[in-house]
Amino acid sequence: IPEQCKRGWEGKVLENPSIKAPGSNDIQCYCPASGKFLGFVRPASRTDIDTAIAKAAKAQTSWARTSFDERRKVLRTLQGYILANQDEIVQASCLDSGKTRVDAALGEILVTTEKIKYLLDYGEKALRPEKRPTSFMMFHNLLGPIVSSIFTGNGIIVKGSENTAWSSEFYISIVKGALSACGHDPNLVQSIICWPDTAPYLTSHPEIQHITFIGSRPVAHHVASSAAKTLVPLCVELGGKDAHIVLDDVKNLKSLCSVLMRGVFQSASQNCIGIERIIALPKVYKQLVDLLEPRISKLRPGSALDEDQVDMGAMISSACFDKLERMIEEAVSKGARCLVGGKRYTNPMFPKGHYFQPTLLVDVTSDMEIAQNETFAPICVLMPAQNVDEAIKIANSANFGLGGSVYGRNQAHIGRVVTEMKCGMVAVNDFASFYLNQSLPFGGVRGSGYGRFAGEEGLRGVCNLKSVLVDRWPSLINTGIPPIVDYPITRPEESWNFTKGMLLQFASVFTVFAKLYLCRRFGSLRLRPKPQRESRGYCKGTW
């Protein structure tokens, strides 16, 4: 456990907090909430990447032969350590990201342990060979990807963000410790922290067989271009502009506001499935404004490790503050109203910390930049809609499609939103429950990426699926080529007629089987022959 996570640690506050230190190529790690120095991390070189991949590949050779029981043992060991050391892990998360303890517990501990629990209970079933019917013609946060890779028998290289380099090394050491404790090679899991100019060497490395990328759309273009050099398959999750539609018939608006507040401001809104837009119908719109304004104005940003009364933590970086302020100003100039916040915030105790005021921006319309681009910041955007049709249109107006929610009681309206909202996941009368439920595939559409992790789809996504076909009764039936179509073909016209007849025969067999199934399923059916009619040179009989 790092010294910084132990009681009594007091760090030095940096004069100009930045991941780039003057006169050094090392990554300077610091707490974005307080500006306290955490340490230096040496960025990986190309040689380091080669070494890490070689170590993981060597360890994976034997790991791939382990049983599911052995893999479960490692995950149970890891889960036990996480639960026994929640305080230290949460402390590390708060130090490196600026989160509050509650946000870290919900976003790191809860989701990770739930994922491990799903793998322990259902992972083997998802990966077990399965039988499927044939026709006659036969034709995821840092630890999420790690535990999936471990359970599927893979080695893994984790390339973390430079902004969270310090805690990444700590978390990786926990996983390595679980492998070692169970008698397995800890080199199975490798951590790479490097500057952006070195990253393409990793993403185009010929020994990498799959990449799961979680990040921004501009960086995703570079990753996809780099991976294309070696045709590495990608799963890409690029955040979203999640819309939460509030219908006119919501039962308890006060209770709903608590859900919306958590969805917007948890982890200072640095959450890929955070609520980016609240779209409300006329009967509830003004009530929502009146309920949200006083609550948001009372939120207290700060460092949860150093202050007692803190609701919201820091931003990971101040690099986006100019853009956020500009988008808010542009929206106001077009008719929006900024009722709370709207500016960067200087914490009197920690002036070197990265804080943005909790913000309420109402009367936002789709033509405003802030309605189209992900903010990843503590900004509650409220948009009016006249009816369900317009609400859906507004929700789909941004070129993102990760998640969304709808709140109300009218099942017809809810059904329309669920069906017509262009996104990968929708929660009904809830926020982000599809993220906690690890049995569901997680991922988006359109500008939010492609591919899925979590659930059976996620587990199989990091496997090379192989189709295997075996004769069920090899002693009775073997694959053979009828002489009429065997090479060399000596009678072309007859072979063609034979093939056509075979296709018609299969079609007839399928029809008979379908009718027999219907009779058995729904009772007797009377078959009424219709007069045969000539069509395109042959006679058709119909039922």
Side-chain angles (χ1 to χ4, degrees), residues 396-414:
N396 292 335
S397 65
N399 187 29
F400 287 90
L402 188 58
S405 289
V406 55
Y407 305 90
R409 288 182 287 176
N410 186 308
Q411 293 302 309
H413 290 163
I414 289 174

Side-chain angles (χ1 to χ4, degrees), residues 33 94 98-102 302-308 310 312-313 355:
C94 293
K99 293 180 180 180
T100 66
R101 285 187 174 92
V102 171
S303 173
L305 300 179
D306 304 284
E307 304 173 73
D308 292 330
V310 173
M312 189 185 80
Y355 296 95

Side-chain angles (χ1 to χ4, degrees), residues 201-221:
Y201 183 74
L202 172 64
T203 52
S204 63
H205 201 285
E207 296 300 318
I208 297 293
Q209 298 179 41
H210 176 88
I211 295 175
T212 296
F213 173 77
I214 302 172
S216 68
R217 196 186 303 179
V219 178
H221 286 290

Side-chain angles (χ1 to χ4, degrees), residues 86-225:
Q86 293 183 58
D87 290 342
E88 291 79 7
I89 294 172
V90 164
Q91 176 94 350
S93 179
C94 293
L95 283 172
D96 213 15
S97 69
K99 293 180 180 180
T100 66
R101 285 187 174 92
V102 171
D103 289 349
L106 293 175
E108 317 293 350
I109 306 295
L110 179 61
V111 177
T112 299
T113 53
E114 176 60 24
K115 187 175 189 71
I116 293 175
K117 182 179 182 298
Y118 168 76
L119 292 173
L120 293 175
D121 293 343
Y122 303 106
E124 182 177 357
K125 180 182 177 183
L127 297 176
R128 188 182 299 151
E130 64 179 23
K131 293 181 179 180
R132 294 189 177 184
T134 62
S135 68
F136 272 85
M137 292 299 288
M138 290 184 299
F139 26 77
H140 219 277
N141 75 41
L142 179 76
L143 289 184
I146 293 177
V147 295
S148 293
S149 294
I150 287 176
F151 196 81
T152 49
N154 292 315
I156 184 169
I157 313 295
V158 181
K159 193 280 178 192
S161 167
E162 310 90 87
N163 288 299
T164 55
W166 178 77
S167 61
S168 295
E169 292 202 334
F170 172 44
Y171 296 151
I172 293 294
S173 71
I174 295 174
V175 181
K176 285 178 172 286
L179 286 164
S180 296
C182 296
H184 299 289
D185 190 346
N187 286 323
L188 185 73
V189 178
Q190 296 292 318
S191 175
I192 290 291
I193 300 293
C194 63
W195 293 115
D197 58 352
T198 307
Y201 183 74
L202 172 64
T203 52
S204 63
H205 201 285
E207 296 300 318
I208 297 293
Q209 298 179 41
H210 176 88
I211 295 175
T212 296
F213 173 77
I214 302 172
S216 68
R217 196 186 303 179
V219 178
H221 286 290
H222 293 293
V223 173
S225 176

Side-chain angles (χ1 to χ4, degrees), residues 245-261 278 283-285 287-288 291-292 295 406-410 429-430:
I245 294 177
V246 184
L247 303 178
D248 274 335
D249 58 350
V250 171
K251 187 174 182 180
N252 189 333
L253 272 181
K254 186 176 180 181
S255 175
L256 174 59
C257 281
S258 295
V259 175
L260 298 176
M261 290 280 290
I278 300 171
K283 290 183 181 178
V284 295
Y285 184 81
Q287 296 178 65
L288 278 176
L291 286 168
L292 288 169
R295 295 188 64 171
V406 55
Y407 305 90
R409 288 182 287 176
N410 186 308
N429 290 316
D430 205 345

